[in-house]
Amino acid sequence: MASLSNLTDLDLERQVAALSRELSALKRDVAKRGGAYYDDGRDAAMDYLSDFKDMIGERLPGLRRRAYALESTARDHPATAAAVGLVVLGLLATVVLSRRRD
């Protein structure tokens, strides 16, 4: 007859083997789900990018005209452009520094 310690050892070995199989099954399931979530996220990002591209593509000619008008104004009035640039930089610096203190 087998001793009690041998029966306990066999039982523990069976439990460890069962847990190992269950862990392997869980790993496979997580890998499948992770792949599905990755695919869903990639598809959503591609949809957003496509929508953004369509929106920008429609407005691009107007943006180019405004940029050209701004450029010509800055060339005609360089001192004013420099002053406005410094004011914008000052405002940005103030916003950044005020957030650092919080």
Side-chain angles (χ1 to χ4, degrees):
M1 181 180 254
S3 69
L4 186 58
S5 66
N6 287 341
L7 290 176
T8 305
D9 291 342
L10 289 175
D11 188 41
L12 285 176
E13 287 177 11
R14 287 182 188 143
Q15 288 179 356
V16 168
L19 287 174
S20 179
R21 287 190 301 272
E22 188 175 342
L23 182 60
S24 295
L26 287 173
K27 284 181 182 179
R28 284 190 301 273
D29 189 42
V30 167
K32 287 178 187 175
R33 289 183 186 197
Y37 288 136
Y38 173 78
D39 290 341
D40 291 344
R42 185 186 63 207
D43 291 343
M46 293 298 286
D47 290 342
Y48 287 130
L49 183 60
S50 177
D51 293 344
F52 183 71
K53 180 182 168 188
D54 292 342
M55 183 180 65
I56 293 297
E58 294 170 359
R59 296 184 176 141
L60 196 57
L63 290 172
R64 285 184 181 150
R65 282 192 300 274
R66 289 180 186 165
Y68 180 73
L70 183 63
E71 181 184 3
S72 64
T73 302
R75 284 186 184 160
D76 294 342
H77 307 287
T80 305
V84 170
L86 288 175
V87 168
V88 169
L89 285 175
L91 289 173
L92 288 173
T94 302
V95 169
V96 169
L97 291 175
S98 68
R99 288 187 181 206
R100 281 187 156 180
R101 287 186 224 158
D102 294 336

